[in-house]
Coordinates of all heavy atoms in Angstrom, one line a residue:
D137 N 9.0 129.3 67.6 CA 9.6 129.0 68.9 C 8.8 129.6 70.0 O 9.3 130.2 71.0 CB 11.0 129.6 68.9 CG 12.0 128.7 68.2 OD1 11.6 127.5 67.9 OD2 13.2 129.1 68.1
H138 N 7.5 129.5 69.9 CA 6.6 130.0 71.0 C 6.8 129.1 72.2 O 6.8 127.9 72.0 CB 5.2 130.1 70.5 CG 4.3 130.8 71.4 ND1 3.7 130.2 72.5 CD2 3.8 132.1 71.4 CE1 3.0 131.1 73.1 NE2 3.0 132.2 72.5
P139 N 6.7 129.6 73.4 CA 6.9 128.8 74.6 C 5.8 127.7 74.7 O 6.1 126.6 75.2 CB 6.7 129.7 75.8 CG 7.1 131.1 75.2 CD 6.7 131.0 73.7
Y140 N 4.6 127.9 74.1 CA 3.6 126.8 74.2 C 4.0 125.6 73.3 O 3.4 124.5 73.5 CB 2.2 127.3 73.8 CG 1.6 128.3 74.8 CD1 0.5 129.1 74.4 CD2 2.1 128.4 76.1 CE1 -0.1 129.9 75.3 CE2 1.5 129.3 77.0 CZ 0.4 130.0 76.6 OH -0.2 130.9 77.4
H141 N 4.9 125.8 72.5 CA 5.4 124.7 71.6 C 6.1 123.6 72.4 O 6.0 122.4 72.0 CB 6.3 125.2 70.6 CG 7.0 124.2 69.8 ND1 6.4 123.5 68.8 CD2 8.3 123.7 69.9 CE1 7.3 122.6 68.3 NE2 8.4 122.7 68.9
Y142 N 6.7 123.9 73.6 CA 7.4 123.0 74.3 C 6.6 122.3 75.4 O 5.8 123.0 76.1 CB 8.6 123.7 75.0 CG 9.5 124.3 73.9 CD1 9.4 125.6 73.6 CD2 10.4 123.5 73.2 CE1 10.2 126.1 72.5 CE2 11.2 124.0 72.1 CZ 11.0 125.3 71.8 OH 11.8 125.8 70.8
P143 N 6.8 121.0 75.7 CA 6.0 120.3 76.7 C 6.3 120.9 78.1 O 7.4 121.3 78.4 CB 6.6 118.9 76.7 CG 7.4 118.8 75.5 CD 7.8 120.1 75.1
I144 N 5.2 121.0 78.9 CA 5.3 121.6 80.3 C 6.3 120.9 81.1 O 7.1 121.5 81.9 CB 3.9 121.6 80.9 CG1 3.0 122.5 80.2 CG2 4.0 122.0 82.4 CD1 1.5 122.5 80.6
I145 N 6.3 119.6 81.1 CA 7.2 118.8 82.0 C 8.6 118.6 81.3 O 9.4 117.9 81.9 CB 6.6 117.4 82.4 CG1 6.4 116.5 81.1 CG2 5.3 117.6 83.2 CD1 6.0 115.1 81.5
G146 N 8.8 119.1 80.1 CA 10.1 118.9 79.5 C 10.0 117.8 78.4 O 9.0 117.2 78.2
T147 N 11.1 117.7 77.8 CA 11.2 116.6 76.7 C 11.6 115.3 77.4 O 12.0 115.2 78.5 CB 12.3 117.0 75.7 OG1 13.6 117.1 76.4 CG2 12.0 118.4 75.1
R148 N 11.6 114.3 76.6 CA 12.0 112.9 77.0 C 13.4 113.1 77.5 O 13.8 112.5 78.6 CB 11.9 111.9 75.9 CG 12.3 110.5 76.3 CD 12.2 109.6 75.1 NE 10.9 109.6 74.6 CZ 10.1 108.5 74.6 NH1 10.5 107.4 75.2 NH2 8.9 108.6 74.1
H149 N 14.3 113.7 76.9 CA 15.7 113.9 77.3 C 15.8 114.6 78.7 O 16.5 114.2 79.5 CB 16.4 114.7 76.2 CG 17.9 115.0 76.6 ND1 18.3 116.1 77.2 CD2 19.0 114.2 76.4 CE1 19.6 116.1 77.4 NE2 20.0 114.9 76.9
D150 N 15.0 115.6 78.8 CA 15.0 116.3 80.1 C 14.6 115.4 81.3 O 15.2 115.4 82.3 CB 14.0 117.5 80.1 CG 14.3 118.6 79.1 OD1 15.5 118.8 78.9 OD2 13.4 119.2 78.6
I151 N 13.5 114.6 81.0 CA 13.0 113.7 82.1 C 14.1 112.6 82.4 O 14.3 112.3 83.6 CB 11.7 113.1 81.7 CG1 10.6 114.2 81.6 CG2 11.2 112.0 82.6 CD1 9.3 113.8 80.9
W152 N 14.7 112.1 81.4 CA 15.7 111.1 81.6 C 16.9 111.6 82.3 O 17.7 110.8 82.9 CB 16.1 110.3 80.3 CG 15.1 109.4 79.9 CD1 14.2 109.6 78.9 CD2 14.8 108.1 80.4 NE1 13.4 108.5 78.7 CE2 13.7 107.5 79.7 CE3 15.4 107.3 81.5 CZ2 13.2 106.3 80.0 CZ3 14.8 106.1 81.7 CH2 13.8 105.6 81.0
Q153 N 17.1 112.9 82.4 CA 18.3 113.5 83.1 C 18.1 113.6 84.6 O 19.0 113.8 85.3 CB 18.6 114.9 82.5 CG 19.0 114.8 81.0 CD 20.2 113.9 80.8 OE1 21.2 114.0 81.4 NE2 19.9 113.0 79.8
V154 N 16.8 113.4 85.1 CA 16.6 113.5 86.5 C 17.0 112.2 87.2 O 16.6 111.1 86.8 CB 15.0 113.7 86.7 CG1 14.8 113.8 88.2 CG2 14.6 115.0 86.0
S155 N 17.8 112.4 88.2 CA 18.3 111.2 88.9 C 17.2 110.6 89.8 O 16.2 111.3 90.2 CB 19.5 111.6 89.8 OG 19.0 112.4 90.9
R156 N 17.4 109.3 90.1 CA 16.4 108.6 90.9 C 16.4 109.2 92.3 O 15.3 109.4 92.8 CB 16.8 107.1 91.0 CG 15.8 106.3 91.8 CD 16.2 104.9 92.0 NE 15.1 104.1 92.6 CZ 14.8 104.1 93.9 NH1 15.4 104.9 94.7 NH2 13.8 103.4 94.3
D157 N 17.5 109.6 92.8 CA 17.5 110.2 94.2 C 16.7 111.6 94.2 O 15.9 111.8 95.1 CB 18.9 110.5 94.6 CG 19.7 109.2 95.0 OD1 19.0 108.2 95.3 OD2 20.9 109.3 95.0
R158 N 16.9 112.3 93.1 CA 16.2 113.6 93.1 C 14.7 113.4 92.9 O 13.9 114.1 93.5 CB 16.7 114.5 91.9 CG 16.1 115.9 91.9 CD 16.9 116.7 90.9 NE 16.3 118.0 90.9 CZ 16.3 118.9 89.9 NH1 17.1 118.6 88.9 NH2 15.7 120.0 89.9
L159 N 14.3 112.4 92.1 CA 12.9 112.1 91.9 C 12.3 111.6 93.2 O 11.2 112.0 93.5 CB 12.8 111.0 90.8 CG 11.4 110.6 90.4 CD1 10.6 111.7 89.9 CD2 11.5 109.5 89.4
M160 N 13.0 110.7 93.9 CA 12.4 110.2 95.1 C 12.3 111.2 96.2 O 11.3 111.2 97.0 CB 13.3 109.0 95.6 CG 13.2 107.8 94.7 SD 11.5 107.2 94.5 CE 11.0 106.7 96.1
N161 N 13.3 112.1 96.2 CA 13.2 113.2 97.2 C 12.0 114.1 96.9 O 11.2 114.5 97.8 CB 14.5 114.1 97.1 CG 14.5 115.1 98.2 OD1 14.2 114.9 99.4 ND2 14.7 116.4 97.8
F162 N 11.7 114.4 95.6 CA 10.5 115.2 95.3 C 9.3 114.5 95.7 O 8.4 115.0 96.3 CB 10.6 115.5 93.8 CG 9.4 116.3 93.3 CD1 9.5 117.7 93.3 CD2 8.2 115.7 92.9 CE1 8.4 118.5 92.9 CE2 7.1 116.5 92.5 CZ 7.2 117.9 92.5
Y163 N 9.2 113.2 95.4 CA 8.0 112.4 95.7 C 7.8 112.3 97.2 O 6.7 112.6 97.7 CB 8.2 110.9 95.2 CG 7.1 110.0 95.6 CD1 5.9 110.0 94.9 CD2 7.2 109.1 96.7 CE1 4.9 109.1 95.2 CE2 6.2 108.3 97.0 CZ 5.1 108.3 96.3 OH 4.0 107.5 96.7
R164 N 8.8 112.1 98.0 CA 8.7 112.1 99.5 C 8.3 113.4 100.0 O 7.7 113.5 101.1 CB 9.9 111.6 100.1 CG 10.1 110.0 100.0 CD 11.2 109.6 100.9 NE 12.5 110.0 100.4 CZ 13.3 109.3 99.5 NH1 12.8 108.2 99.0 NH2 14.4 109.8 99.1
T165 N 8.7 114.5 99.4 CA 8.4 115.9 99.9 C 7.0 116.3 99.6 O 6.3 116.9 100.4 CB 9.4 116.9 99.3 OG1 10.8 116.5 99.6 CG2 9.2 118.3 99.8
Y166 N 6.5 116.0 98.4 CA 5.3 116.6 97.9 C 4.1 115.7 97.8 O 3.0 116.1 97.8 CB 5.5 117.4 96.6 CG 6.4 118.5 96.8 CD1 7.7 118.5 96.3 CD2 6.0 119.7 97.4 CE1 8.6 119.5 96.5 CE2 6.8 120.8 97.5 CZ 8.1 120.7 97.1 OH 9.0 121.8 97.2
Y167 N 4.3 114.4 97.6 CA 3.3 113.4 97.4 C 2.9 112.8 98.8 O 3.5 111.9 99.2 CB 3.6 112.3 96.4 CG 3.5 112.8 95.0 CD1 4.5 113.7 94.5 CD2 2.5 112.3 94.2 CE1 4.4 114.1 93.2 CE2 2.4 112.8 92.9 CZ 3.3 113.7 92.4 OH 3.2 114.1 91.1
R168 N 2.0 113.5 99.4 CA 1.7 113.2 100.9 C 0.2 113.6 101.1 O -0.3 114.4 100.4 CB 2.6 113.9 101.8 CG 2.9 115.3 101.4 CD 4.1 116.0 102.0 NE 3.7 116.5 103.4 CZ 4.6 116.9 104.2 NH1 5.9 116.9 104.0 NH2 4.2 117.2 105.4
P169 N -0.4 112.9 102.1 CA -1.8 113.2 102.4 C -2.2 114.6 102.6 O -3.2 115.1 102.2 CB -2.1 112.3 103.6 CG -1.0 111.3 103.6 CD 0.2 111.9 103.0
D170 N -1.3 115.4 103.3 CA -1.7 116.7 103.7 C -1.5 117.7 102.5 O -1.8 118.9 102.6 CB -0.9 117.2 104.9 CG 0.5 117.2 104.7 OD1 1.1 116.5 103.8 OD2 1.3 117.9 105.5
N171 N -1.0 117.2 101.4 CA -0.8 118.0 100.2 C -1.7 117.4 99.0 O -1.4 117.7 97.9 CB 0.6 118.1 99.8 CG 1.0 119.2 98.9 OD1 0.4 120.2 99.0 ND2 1.9 119.0 97.9
A172 N -2.7 116.7 99.4 CA -3.6 116.0 98.4 C -4.9 116.7 98.3 O -5.4 117.3 99.3 CB -3.7 114.6 98.7
L173 N -5.6 116.5 97.2 CA -6.9 117.0 97.0 C -7.8 115.9 96.4 O -7.3 115.2 95.4 CB -6.9 118.2 96.0 CG -8.2 118.8 95.6 CD1 -8.9 119.4 96.8 CD2 -8.0 119.8 94.4
L174 N -8.9 115.6 97.0 CA -9.8 114.6 96.5 C -11.1 115.3 96.0 O -11.7 116.0 96.7 CB -10.1 113.5 97.6 CG -11.2 112.5 97.2 CD1 -10.6 111.6 96.1 CD2 -11.5 111.7 98.5
V175 N -11.5 115.0 94.8 CA -12.7 115.5 94.2 C -13.6 114.3 93.9 O -13.2 113.4 93.2 CB -12.4 116.4 93.0 CG1 -13.7 116.9 92.4 CG2 -11.5 117.5 93.3
I176 N -14.9 114.4 94.3 CA -15.8 113.4 93.9 C -17.0 114.1 93.3 O -17.4 115.2 93.6 CB -16.2 112.4 95.0 CG1 -16.8 113.2 96.2 CG2 -15.1 111.6 95.5 CD1 -17.4 112.3 97.3
G177 N -17.7 113.5 92.4 CA -18.8 114.1 91.7 C -19.8 113.0 91.4 O -19.5 111.8 91.3
G178 N -21.0 113.4 91.2 CA -22.1 112.4 90.7 C -23.1 112.3 91.8 O -23.2 113.1 92.8
D179 N -23.9 111.3 91.6 CA -25.1 111.0 92.5 C -24.6 110.0 93.6 O -24.4 108.9 93.3 CB -26.2 110.5 91.8 CG -27.5 110.3 92.6 OD1 -27.5 110.9 93.7 OD2 -28.4 109.6 92.2
F180 N -24.3 110.5 94.8 CA -23.8 109.6 95.9 C -24.4 110.1 97.2 O -24.8 111.2 97.3 CB -22.2 109.6 95.9 CG -21.6 111.0 96.1 CD1 -21.4 111.4 97.4 CD2 -21.3 111.8 95.0 CE1 -20.8 112.6 97.6 CE2 -20.7 113.0 95.2 CZ -20.5 113.5 96.5
L181 N -24.3 109.2 98.2 CA -24.7 109.6 99.5 C -23.4 110.0 100.3 O -22.4 109.3 100.3 CB -25.3 108.4 100.2 CG -26.6 107.9 99.6 CD1 -27.0 106.6 100.3 CD2 -27.7 108.9 99.7
V182 N -23.5 111.2 100.9 CA -22.3 111.8 101.5 C -21.7 110.8 102.6 O -20.5 110.6 102.6 CB -22.6 113.1 102.1 CG1 -21.5 113.7 103.0 CG2 -23.0 114.1 101.0
D183 N -22.6 110.2 103.4 CA -22.1 109.4 104.5 C -21.4 108.1 103.9 O -20.3 107.8 104.4 CB -23.2 108.9 105.4 CG -23.7 110.1 106.3 OD1 -23.0 111.0 106.5 OD2 -24.9 109.9 106.7
E184 N -21.9 107.6 102.8 CA -21.3 106.4 102.2 C -19.9 106.8 101.6 O -18.9 106.1 101.6 CB -22.2 105.8 101.2 CG -23.3 105.0 101.8 CD -24.2 104.4 100.8 OE1 -23.9 104.4 99.6 OE2 -25.3 103.9 101.2
A185 N -19.9 107.9 101.0 CA -18.7 108.4 100.3 C -17.6 108.7 101.4 O -16.5 108.3 101.2 CB -18.9 109.7 99.5
L186 N -18.0 109.3 102.5 CA -17.0 109.6 103.5 C -16.4 108.3 104.1 O -15.3 108.2 104.4 CB -17.6 110.4 104.6 CG -17.9 111.9 104.2 CD1 -18.6 112.6 105.3 CD2 -16.6 112.6 103.8
E187 N -17.3 107.3 104.3 CA -16.9 106.0 104.8 C -15.9 105.3 103.8 O -14.9 104.8 104.2 CB -18.1 105.0 105.0 CG -18.9 105.4 106.2 CD -20.2 104.6 106.4 OE1 -20.3 103.5 105.7 OE2 -21.1 105.0 107.1
A188 N -16.2 105.4 102.5 CA -15.3 104.8 101.5 C -14.0 105.5 101.5 O -12.9 104.9 101.4 CB -16.0 104.8 100.1
I189 N -14.0 106.8 101.6 CA -12.8 107.6 101.6 C -11.9 107.2 102.8 O -10.7 107.0 102.7 CB -13.1 109.1 101.6 CG1 -13.7 109.5 100.3 CG2 -11.9 109.9 101.9 CD1 -14.3 110.9 100.3
D190 N -12.6 107.1 104.0 CA -11.9 106.7 105.2 C -11.2 105.3 105.1 O -10.1 105.1 105.5 CB -12.8 106.8 106.4 CG -12.0 106.7 107.7 OD1 -11.0 107.4 107.9 OD2 -12.4 105.8 108.6
R191 N -12.0 104.3 104.5 CA -11.5 103.0 104.3 C -10.3 103.0 103.4 O -9.3 102.3 103.6 CB -12.6 102.1 103.7 CG -13.5 101.5 104.7 CD -14.4 100.4 104.1 NE -14.9 100.6 102.8 CZ -16.0 101.3 102.5 NH1 -16.8 101.7 103.5 NH2 -16.4 101.4 101.3
T192 N -10.4 103.8 102.4 CA -9.3 103.8 101.4 C -8.1 104.6 101.8 O -7.0 104.1 101.5 CB -9.9 104.4 100.0 OG1 -11.1 103.7 99.7 CG2 -8.9 104.3 98.9
F193 N -8.3 105.8 102.4 CA -7.2 106.6 102.7 C -6.9 106.9 104.1 O -5.9 107.5 104.5 CB -7.4 108.0 102.0 CG -7.6 107.9 100.5 CD1 -8.8 108.1 99.9 CD2 -6.5 107.6 99.7 CE1 -9.0 108.0 98.6 CE2 -6.6 107.5 98.3 CZ -7.9 107.7 97.8
G194 N -7.8 106.3 105.0 CA -7.7 106.7 106.5 C -6.4 106.2 107.1 O -5.9 106.7 108.1
H195 N -5.7 105.2 106.5 CA -4.5 104.6 107.1 C -3.3 105.5 106.8 O -2.2 105.3 107.4 CB -4.3 103.2 106.6 CG -4.0 103.2 105.1 ND1 -4.9 103.3 104.2 CD2 -2.8 103.0 104.5 CE1 -4.3 103.3 103.0 NE2 -3.0 103.1 103.1
L196 N -3.4 106.4 105.9 CA -2.2 107.2 105.5 C -1.9 108.2 106.6 O -2.8 108.8 107.2 CB -2.5 108.0 104.2 CG -2.8 107.1 103.0 CD1 -3.2 107.9 101.8 CD2 -1.6 106.2 102.7
T197 N -0.7 108.4 106.8 CA -0.2 109.4 107.8 C 0.7 110.4 107.1 O 1.3 110.2 106.1 CB 0.6 108.7 108.9 OG1 1.8 108.1 108.3 CG2 -0.2 107.7 109.7
N198 N 0.7 111.6 107.7 CA 1.6 112.7 107.2 C 3.0 112.5 107.6 O 3.2 112.1 108.8 CB 1.1 114.0 107.6 CG -0.3 114.4 107.0 OD1 -0.5 114.0 105.9 ND2 -1.1 115.0 107.8
P199 N 4.0 112.8 106.7 CA 5.4 112.7 107.2 C 5.7 113.7 108.2 O 5.0 114.8 108.4 CB 6.2 113.0 105.9 CG 5.2 113.2 104.8 CD 3.8 113.1 105.4
V200 N 6.8 113.5 108.9 CA 7.2 114.5 110.0 C 7.8 115.7 109.4 O 7.6 116.8 109.9 CB 8.2 113.8 110.9 CG1 8.7 114.8 111.9 CG2 7.6 112.6 111.5
V201 N 8.4 115.6 108.2 CA 9.0 116.7 107.6 C 8.0 117.7 107.0 O 7.1 117.3 106.3 CB 10.0 116.3 106.5 CG1 10.7 117.4 105.8 CG2 11.0 115.3 107.0
D202 N 8.2 119.0 107.2 CA 7.2 120.0 106.6 C 7.5 120.2 105.1 O 8.6 120.0 104.7 CB 7.4 121.3 107.3 CG 6.9 121.3 108.8 OD1 6.0 120.5 109.0 OD2 7.4 122.1 109.6
I203 N 6.5 120.6 104.4 CA 6.6 120.9 103.0 C 7.4 122.3 103.0 O 7.1 123.2 103.7 CB 5.3 121.1 102.3 CG1 4.5 119.7 102.3 CG2 5.4 121.7 100.9 CD1 3.2 119.8 101.7
P204 N 8.4 122.4 102.1 CA 9.1 123.7 102.0 C 8.2 124.8 101.7 O 7.3 124.7 100.9 CB 10.1 123.4 100.9 CG 10.2 122.0 100.7 CD 8.9 121.4 101.2
V205 N 8.5 126.0 102.4 CA 7.7 127.2 102.1 C 8.2 127.9 100.9 O 9.4 128.0 100.7 CB 7.8 128.1 103.4 CG1 7.0 129.4 103.1 CG2 7.2 127.4 104.6
T206 N 7.3 128.3 100.1 CA 7.7 129.1 98.9 C 7.2 130.6 99.1 O 6.2 130.8 99.7 CB 7.1 128.6 97.6 OG1 5.7 128.6 97.8 CG2 7.6 127.1 97.4
H207 N 8.0 131.5 98.6 CA 7.7 132.9 98.7 C 7.6 133.5 97.3 O 8.6 133.5 96.6 CB 8.7 133.6 99.6 CG 8.8 133.1 100.9 ND1 7.9 133.3 101.9 CD2 9.7 132.2 101.5 CE1 8.2 132.7 103.1 NE2 9.3 132.0 102.8
G208 N 6.5 134.1 96.9 CA 6.4 134.8 95.7 C 6.4 133.8 94.5 O 6.4 132.6 94.6
A209 N 6.5 134.5 93.4 CA 6.5 133.7 92.1 C 7.9 133.1 91.8 O 8.9 133.6 92.3 CB 6.2 134.7 90.9
H210 N 7.9 132.0 91.2 CA 9.1 131.3 90.8 C 9.3 131.4 89.3 O 8.3 131.3 88.6 CB 9.1 129.8 91.3 CG 9.1 129.7 92.7 ND1 10.3 129.8 93.5 CD2 8.1 129.6 93.6 CE1 10.0 129.7 94.8 NE2 8.7 129.5 94.9
R211 N 10.5 131.5 88.8 CA 10.7 131.6 87.4 C 11.9 130.8 87.0 O 12.9 130.8 87.8 CB 11.0 133.0 87.0 CG 11.2 133.2 85.5 CD 11.5 134.6 85.2 NE 11.9 134.7 83.8 CZ 11.9 135.8 83.1 NH1 11.4 136.9 83.6 NH2 12.3 135.8 81.9
T212 N 11.8 130.0 86.0 CA 12.9 129.2 85.5 C 13.1 129.6 84.0 O 12.2 129.6 83.2 CB 12.6 127.7 85.5 OG1 12.3 127.3 86.9 CG2 13.7 126.9 85.0
D213 N 14.3 130.0 83.8 CA 14.7 130.4 82.4 C 15.3 129.2 81.7 O 16.3 128.6 82.3 CB 15.7 131.6 82.4 CG 15.1 132.8 82.9 OD1 13.9 133.0 82.6 OD2 15.7 133.6 83.5
I214 N 14.8 128.8 80.6 CA 15.3 127.7 79.8 C 16.4 128.2 78.9 O 16.2 129.1 78.0 CB 14.3 127.0 79.0 CG1 13.2 126.4 80.0 CG2 14.8 125.9 78.1 CD1 12.0 125.8 79.3
K215 N 17.6 127.8 79.1 CA 18.7 128.2 78.3 C 18.9 127.5 76.9 O 19.4 128.1 76.0 CB 20.1 128.1 79.1 CG 20.1 128.7 80.4 CD 20.0 130.2 80.4 CE 20.2 130.7 81.8 NZ 19.6 132.0 82.0
Q216 N 18.4 126.3 76.9 CA 18.6 125.5 75.7 C 17.4 124.6 75.6 O 16.9 123.9 76.5 CB 19.8 124.6 75.8 CG 20.0 123.7 74.6 CD 21.3 122.8 74.7 OE1 22.0 123.0 75.6 NE2 21.5 122.0 73.8
Y217 N 16.7 124.5 74.5 CA 15.5 123.7 74.2 C 16.0 122.3 73.8 O 16.9 122.2 73.1 CB 14.6 124.4 73.2 CG 14.1 125.6 73.7 CD1 14.5 126.9 73.2 CD2 13.1 125.6 74.7 CE1 14.0 128.0 73.7 CE2 12.5 126.8 75.1 CZ 13.0 128.0 74.6 OH 12.4 129.2 75.1
G218 N 15.3 121.3 74.2 CA 15.5 119.9 73.8 C 15.1 119.7 72.5 O 15.4 119.0 71.7

């Protein structure tokens, strides 16, 4: 029963228990341009890469709502394993 035995995102049962409203709220809160990271690698020209990035993602805007501030470490205790 080592903790690494259990999936990080939970079991299939755990995931199916998340409501659509809760999932959409999480998506709208955290999946946004100002909380994204883009990594590119390889042999490329910087100017061309920046132009392609702007063409692809330049139209995206940040939501008006701020990302919730977190303070310190967070801990979740699992009471029952799936």
Side-chain angles (χ1 to χ4, degrees):
D137 279 350
H138 192 278
Y140 288 167
H141 170 78
Y142 300 99
I144 293 171
I145 64 169
T147 64
R148 181 183 302 248
H149 178 266
D150 296 330
I151 294 169
W152 282 105
Q153 298 304 308
V154 178
S155 70
R156 183 182 189 284
D157 289 340
R158 187 169 178 202
L159 181 63
M160 291 306 296
N161 184 51
F162 182 88
Y163 176 81
R164 283 190 291 271
T165 301
Y166 295 103
Y167 282 71
R168 41 194 281 169
D170 60 341
N171 200 33
L173 174 68
L174 174 67
V175 178
I176 57 174
D179 186 16
F180 61 90
L181 298 174
V182 173
D183 290 339
E184 289 180 8
L186 291 174
E187 289 174 15
I189 291 166
D190 190 50
R191 275 194 316 274
T192 305
F193 302 108
H195 68 282
L196 299 176
T197 59
N198 293 324
V200 177
V201 179
D202 290 332
I203 295 175
V205 177
T206 58
H207 301 283
H210 294 276
R211 178 180 173 160
T212 300
D213 292 325
I214 299 173
K215 306 290 185 207
Q216 176 181 355
Y217 295 105

